[in-house]
Amino acid sequence: MNTMTESKKTVTLNYINGEWVASDSEQTAVSKNPAKIGEDVGYYQISSSNDFDQAAISARKAQKAWGKLAGSVRGDYLLKAAAILEERIEDVATAMTQEMGKTFAEAKGETARGVAILRYYAGEGMRAIGDVIPSSDSDALMFTTRVPLGVVGVITPWNFPVAIPLWKMAPALIYGNAVVVKPASDTAITCSKVINCLHDAGIPAGVVNMVTGSGAKIGMEMVNHPEIDAITFTGSNTVGKQLAHAAVDRGIKYQLEMGGKNPVIVANDADLDLAADATISGGLKSTGQKCTATSRVIVHKDVYEEFKEKLLTKMKTITVGDGFETGTWMGPCASEGQLETVLSYIEKGKQEGAKLLYGGNQVLKDQGYYVEPTVFENATPSMTIAREEIFGPVLVLLKVETMEEALEMANDSEYGLSASIFTTNIGNMLSFINEMDAGLVRINAESAGVELQAPFGGMKQSSSHSREQGRAAIEFFTSIKTVFVK
Ligand SMILES: NC(=O)C1=CN([C@@H]2O[C@H](COP(=O)(O)OP(=O)(O)OC[C@H]3O[C@@H](n4cnc5c(N)ncnc54)[C@H](O)[C@@H]3O)[C@@H](O)[C@H]2O)C=CC1
Ligand SMILES: O=C(O)CCC(=O)C(=O)O
């Protein structure tokens, strides 16, 4: 059981060496429902250094035998976990909607994606892990193989509390690593339900561990711990950079997926209904809390007014509310802190002279942390709302004279995660594919929408220039060994 009952409270436990255990700090914190002020979802452990130490040591011990299993045997555990997660979709998605506010439909979709991730990486256990390379010595055999890194520390955010832990843990595990995961506190309960699926699948004790608590404490201990051989992180740039410095100091491998300020270009030959729908879906689904969310909408002057009208008409139909209620299209911000951040960016946009076209207000104040879908125009590329990641349902319209200017503006960002263009012109498409500095470029499709079997990651400040997901994950979670036999 991943929980215990204490004074009528449901308390989520840490998972260390195959057992659900309370922290020796004897302290817990509450996970709150952002859709209902005052409703507690449950409690999680505020872990101590000793808890983390135990988890890391257990992982080290377990990794030795785990790494020696055949890939197909490791894959069988992932397949079992996938089947269990699939049976528990409603329960896991319920916890997700309660903890971070995503609509129940989105939460079920994400959990189903988690199932697919486990199945995809189970298959990786049977695929090639090396090449035979002709040696200059004709009597020798030379080839590459791949070995696990050892114990991988996994630090995850709250915005995809099932998919992100799984797209990091599943490849780590299939390639023979053990893991210690520290989930975001806001979604610790959801993550514990995912870990419970691996536990119920019978994964050997110590191969998977979860320790909840403060990022500043447990996260930093993780990167500095001698039993941790690599760190994979998704979250803010500030934290990512701190982790990178610490990882470099220790000489361990690290992988960071961080922010985005993702542009959409709407050309004068675009299908404007498609562009407006995709801008809304890409920018406002999950209340804009995706690193791939559309944020800057760069529109050619010839179609600017028509596109704007279509966008506004569609935006006005968006219903904001509790993600469990039928008819809700957009849930609350994930936490009070996140709501405050979004409102402060909206305020800054107004102060710096952008025109608020629609939204901008906190709504349903007495119920939860809700904000209206919001769009600005008359913004300049140097304004804060056009430069910084907002991580909320805020779009910024920018008008351009030419396609060259559009591409230049799209690239004028410290980030380079994802980008879209809406056009019917092959020349525009090709220029965008070749010249857009982003890890994910999408033509006539929204900027969000990552496929688990394809590489995912950003350019510039959006990532550590590595890629996760798909076959690309093997590059981070293994080391190449070149073997020469004579
Ligand atoms: N790229 C993405 O998908 C995400 C981006 N963000 C961005 O970050 C902003 C703030 O969100 P937060 O949840 O506060 O992100 P964060 O970067 O603080 O948290 C992400 C994870 O890192 C952990 N963490 C926090 N401080 C740490 C430290 N010093 N050392 C090691 N681990 C640490 C957290 O506990 C959590 O598990 C958002 O508004 C958004 O702009 C947040 C979440 C996901
Ligand atoms: O767009 C997606 O599906 C994934 C987004 C993501 O990785 C993130 O927000 O951290």
Side-chain angles (χ1 to χ4, degrees):
M1 281 289 283
N2 58 330
T3 55
M4 66 177 189
T5 309
E6 185 189 82
S7 323
K8 296 192 186 152
K9 300 189 307 198
T10 305
V11 182
T12 292
L13 300 167
N14 281 335
Y15 185 64
I16 300 174
N17 202 26
E19 290 181 4
W20 291 100
V21 287
S23 165
D24 64 9
S25 73
E26 299 184 0
Q27 287 185 317
T28 57
V30 66
S31 172
K32 295 177 180 169
N33 184 344
K36 289 190 176 136
I37 292 170
E39 186 185 284
D40 297 343
V41 186
Y43 294 78
Y44 59 89
Q45 307 296 312
I46 302 184
S47 303
S48 67
S49 304
N50 183 50
D51 298 320
F52 183 73
D53 204 41
Q54 296 304 313
I57 291 167
S58 308
R60 170 70 68 211
K61 284 190 189 141
Q63 192 275 326
K64 289 187 176 30
W66 178 251
K68 284 184 185 147
L69 291 178
S72 59
V73 175
R74 291 195 292 262
D76 283 343
Y77 287 106
L78 299 192
L79 288 175
K80 276 187 206 143
I84 295 168
L85 181 60
E86 195 165 41
E87 276 168 21
R88 297 180 188 171
I89 277 187
E90 298 264 328
D91 178 54
V92 174
T94 299
M96 193 188 312
T97 299
Q98 283 175 337
E99 282 197 291
M100 58 74 67
K102 188 175 281 198
T103 65
F104 191 48
E106 287 177 289
K108 279 198 283 190
E110 184 188 332
T111 312
R113 178 169 161 187
V115 173
I117 290 168
L118 283 162
R119 292 198 171 125
Y120 175 85
Y121 283 108
E124 275 299 287
M126 303 273 279
R127 296 203 182 97
I129 52 163
D131 299 308
V132 174
I133 302 158
S135 168
S136 47
D137 181 339
S138 57
D139 293 331
L141 169 65
M142 188 161 70
F143 62 95
T144 59
T145 185
R146 286 177 182 268
V147 291
L149 302 176
V151 180
V152 179
V154 178
I155 302 179
T156 55
W158 43 263
N159 62 334
F160 283 89
V162 168
I164 294 181
L166 279 174
W167 83 49
K168 292 177 184 297
M169 285 194 292
L173 294 171
I174 198 67
Y175 300 127
N177 303 283
V179 298
V180 183
V181 57
K182 196 224 77 68
S185 298
D186 286 342
T187 49
I189 295 169
T190 308
C191 187
S192 80
K193 287 178 182 282
V194 173
I195 301 290
N196 210 25
C197 295
L198 288 155
H199 172 75
D200 289 345
I203 201 142
V207 169
V208 173
N209 302 271
M210 182 191 80
V211 179
T212 58
S214 148
K217 180 178 167 56
I218 301 299
M220 281 323 275
E221 280 181 9
M222 186 180 266
V223 69
N224 288 310
H225 198 284
E227 301 295 356
I228 297 293
D229 300 304
I231 289 278
T232 172
F233 166 85
T234 300
S236 63
N237 281 55
T238 314
V239 172
K241 281 181 184 159
Q242 281 173 29
L243 288 169
H245 284 126
V248 167
D249 282 346
R250 283 198 51 228
I252 62 170
K253 208 168 174 182
Y254 65 92
Q255 176 187 54
L256 314 171
E257 287 307 332
M258 302 175 288
K261 191 68 189 170
N262 311 299
V264 157
I265 296 177
V266 183
N268 56 0
D269 52 33
D271 175 335
L272 296 184
D273 283 305
L274 177 70
D277 281 339
T279 300
I280 285 174
S281 177
L284 308 175
K285 277 270 176 199
S286 287
T287 321
Q289 302 168 127
K290 296 184 188 179
C291 57
T292 49
T294 302
S295 182
R296 297 177 292 146
V297 190
I298 301 167
V299 189
H300 194 283
K301 65 174 182 10
D302 293 354
V303 290
Y304 184 88
E305 289 304 324
E306 195 184 345
F307 173 79
K308 183 172 98 180
E309 286 320 310
K310 285 184 188 292
L311 187 77
L312 286 174
T313 305
K314 289 172 200 279
M315 269 180 94
K316 286 175 188 164
T317 66
I318 290 176
T319 43
V320 178
D322 187 332
F324 285 113
E325 275 166 24
T326 322
T328 294
W329 191 92
M330 193 176 96
C333 296
S335 63
E336 190 174 11
Q338 210 51 43
L339 170 71
E340 280 166 7
T341 305
V342 173
L343 292 174
S344 74
Y345 275 113
I346 292 171
E347 216 31 61
K348 201 162 257 180
K350 290 193 263 184
Q351 279 165 13
E352 289 182 10
K355 180 177 166 200
L356 183 62
L357 264 182
Y358 181 73
N361 300 304
Q362 187 182 348
V363 286
L364 309 170
K365 274 188 198 179
D366 53 333
Q367 295 177 38
Y369 306 126
Y370 298 95
V371 63
E372 288 173 320
T374 298
V375 60
F376 281 98
E377 71 169 347
N378 294 350
T380 63
S382 61
M383 285 181 186
T384 309
I385 53 167
R387 302 214 73 78
E388 294 183 11
E389 182 177 50
I390 298 175
F391 229 59
V394 181
L395 298 168
V396 180
L397 296 185
L398 297 146
K399 196 194 288 186
V400 288
E401 304 279 319
T402 63
M403 289 310 288
E404 290 73 26
E405 187 189 352
L407 198 47
E408 203 174 301
M409 199 180 278
N411 274 327
D412 179 18
S413 170
E414 61 180 356
Y415 295 110
L417 188 55
S418 68
S420 294
I421 190 168
F422 288 85
T423 181
T424 48
N425 176 297
I426 185 84
N428 286 341
M429 292 180 197
L430 290 174
S431 305
F432 185 73
I433 292 168
N434 292 329
E435 291 165 41
M436 184 68 225
D437 298 330
L440 190 64
V441 291
R442 296 172 54 93
I443 318 297
N444 294 323
E446 66 175 70
S447 66
V450 167
E451 298 217 24
L452 63 100
Q453 69 278 26
F456 173 58
M459 295 181 182
K460 303 196 264 186
Q461 302 274 336
S462 289
S463 90
S464 52
H465 309 284
S466 42
R467 295 289 179 267
E468 340 185 62
Q469 304 197 61
R471 273 291 275 172
I474 199 170
E475 299 302 335
F476 180 72
F477 290 106
T478 63
S479 263
I480 295 180
K481 217 175 240 187
T482 303
V483 184
F484 181 88
V485 186
K486 186 160 178 190

